[in-house]
Amino acid sequence: SHHRGNNAMAQHSRIEADADPADLSNLARLLVESWNRGDARAFACLFTPAAEYVTGAGERIRGRKAISALLDKAAPAAHVSVVGQPVVRCDASSAEVTFMWSGADAGGGPRRGSITCACIRQGSGWLIEALHNNEAGDVAESRGGPTRS
């Protein structure tokens, strides 16, 4: 009976190794929900401790603490919605999730773009290692002054 137990373990770990795209779609949903709630802590916890976050204005932010501060600075009006279904590409330990978003800026003007997250497997879940927000239109240039420091 001991031997049969080992087989069950091997099977379990093989199932475990297959990434579930639903988990990654869920990660995108949690990202947007925590952003909309203004919950900096929940938002930052979706990232690896040394994650990189590139904003729509092209600003690079590194690390969970800085990412958390980003949400503290965001206007409560910066409410975004996921447009359509996230597109997920994954293997056993890494994944890429891309989704379209739309929202409004503080002045009520429309904003939209796409977000791409590079994710890595952490235990039974996933964390975002790098996030790129590609904002559509000229909004990115009109905000945030000169891009080169």
Side-chain angles (χ1 to χ4, degrees):
S1 73
H2 182 70
H3 182 70
R4 213 165 46 237
N6 278 349
N7 263 352
M9 285 297 293
Q11 252 170 346
H12 178 71
S13 64
R14 192 159 64 241
I15 294 166
E16 186 80 359
D18 254 358
D20 184 354
D23 290 344
L24 289 141
S25 297
N26 192 45
L27 185 68
R29 193 174 55 79
L30 289 171
L31 186 77
V32 170
E33 282 178 4
S34 54
W35 174 271
N36 287 338
R37 277 202 316 271
D39 191 337
R41 195 191 161 94
F43 186 76
C45 282
L46 299 171
F47 293 84
T48 61
E52 181 178 75
Y53 185 114
V54 182
T55 69
E59 186 189 353
R60 275 172 194 276
I61 295 163
R62 268 197 185 280
R64 203 180 255 169
K65 194 172 253 131
I67 288 168
S68 168
L70 176 78
L71 193 54
D72 288 332
K73 287 194 299 240
H79 191 282
V80 297
S81 318
V82 177
V83 178
Q85 283 297 311
V87 176
V88 176
R89 281 200 292 276
C90 54
D91 57 36
S93 61
S94 64
E96 188 179 86
V97 185
T98 302
F99 62 92
M100 308 297 290
W101 62 270
S102 69
D105 60 25
R111 288 174 60 185
R112 63 189 174 80
S114 66
I115 283 175
T116 302
C117 301
C119 307
I120 56 167
R121 188 75 170 260
Q122 295 273 299
S124 60
W126 292 87
L127 289 176
I128 300 167
E129 200 167 37
L131 181 153
H132 282 238
N133 180 11
N134 303 298
E135 196 154 328
D138 55 358
V139 193
E141 287 87 70
S142 66
R143 284 200 329 272
T147 48
R148 276 193 289 283
S149 48

